[in-house]
Amino acid sequence: MTLSRCAWVTEDPLYIAYHDEEWGVPKHDDRLLFEMLTLEGAQAGLSWLTILKRREGYRAAFDNFEPLRVAAYDEARVQALLQDTRIIRNQAKIRSTVQNARAFCEVQAQFGTFAAYLWGFVDGKPIVNHFRTHAELPTRTPISDALSKDLKRRGFTFVGSTMCYALMQSCGLVNDHLVTCFKRTG
């Protein structure tokens, strides 16, 4: 018997594993939230599969996404990352990761955790949508617009509303598994 998955899932084992084990699962761990924030930003203009294939390289290159470590990167480290073939060697995206780590740490200092800040946008519980087709899924919402605006105000970059909505989906702030998907809950 074949499991019914969301329409965006390809036959690639990385995509299947990501969908089945991670996408839409509520995340409250700050290190993992920083990882997803970084990867969603790196994905801009690329396929998610491209990023998934380089995920381990990103973890190695960016100190397992420890925000304090990444926030301390200097110009020499940025230049070294620009030569690292394990990641997307886009200068703006690499610099964004360092800048976002610094802003991330400031949010942690203000709110206690980045998770507390992020989950505040959905009143601490996932929004459960009831979409039947992939075409119904939005690419942005008023909440992702507000999140994007606030992140930018706090100094984050590569955080447009579409990226913020993808972050909300990947981190479980919204449950956008189609009603026909075997992962559907609620």
Side-chain angles (χ1 to χ4, degrees):
M1 179 173 124
T2 304
L3 295 175
S4 177
R5 291 184 172 87
C6 294
W8 56 266
V9 182
T10 68
E11 294 299 316
D12 189 284
L14 279 175
Y15 242 0
I16 292 170
Y18 175 72
H19 171 270
D20 292 1
E21 298 165 21
E22 291 187 67
W23 193 72
V25 175
K27 295 167 184 61
H28 297 274
D29 174 79
D30 273 10
R31 191 215 55 80
L32 186 54
L33 291 172
F34 181 62
E35 177 176 346
M36 296 312 298
L37 177 76
T38 301
L39 296 178
E40 293 289 357
Q43 187 267 333
L46 303 169
S47 75
W48 185 242
L49 186 56
T50 297
I51 300 305
L52 285 177
K53 287 179 178 178
R54 294 179 183 231
R55 190 175 191 181
E56 290 307 317
Y58 270 92
R59 286 177 175 156
F62 287 100
D63 288 308
N64 201 34
F65 295 106
E66 293 295 338
L68 277 173
R69 286 186 171 179
V70 178
Y73 287 4
D74 59 10
E75 185 61 25
R77 184 64 183 260
V78 169
Q79 292 303 316
L81 287 166
L82 285 168
Q83 305 307 312
D84 194 328
T85 58
R86 299 173 295 179
I87 65 171
I88 304 300
R89 295 176 291 168
N90 177 296
Q91 184 167 193
K93 291 177 181 182
I94 291 169
R95 290 187 186 283
S96 172
T97 300
V98 177
Q99 173 57 35
N100 287 351
R102 293 172 181 154
F104 192 96
C105 291
E106 290 176 17
V107 168
Q108 286 178 314
Q110 183 178 354
F111 289 86
T113 65
F114 186 81
Y117 162 78
L118 185 63
W119 281 90
F121 282 86
V122 294
D123 297 326
K125 61 183 191 243
I127 295 168
V128 180
N129 290 316
H130 303 281
F131 301 122
R132 298 188 92 38
T133 69
H134 182 71
E136 294 176 77
L137 272 80
T139 58
R140 62 189 287 177
T141 64
I143 295 173
S144 70
D145 291 347
L147 175 59
S148 172
K149 183 177 179 181
D150 196 65
L151 286 170
K152 288 175 183 175
R153 182 182 66 79
R154 294 175 183 281
F156 288 81
T157 59
F158 277 86
V159 289
S161 185
T162 299
M163 177 277 192
C164 285
Y165 194 71
L167 179 71
M168 292 169 64
Q169 291 173 311
S170 67
C171 294
L173 281 78
V174 294
N175 179 346
D176 274 350
H177 284 285
L178 299 179
V179 295
T180 56
C181 178
F182 87 97
K183 289 294 292 184
R184 179 64 184 197
T185 58

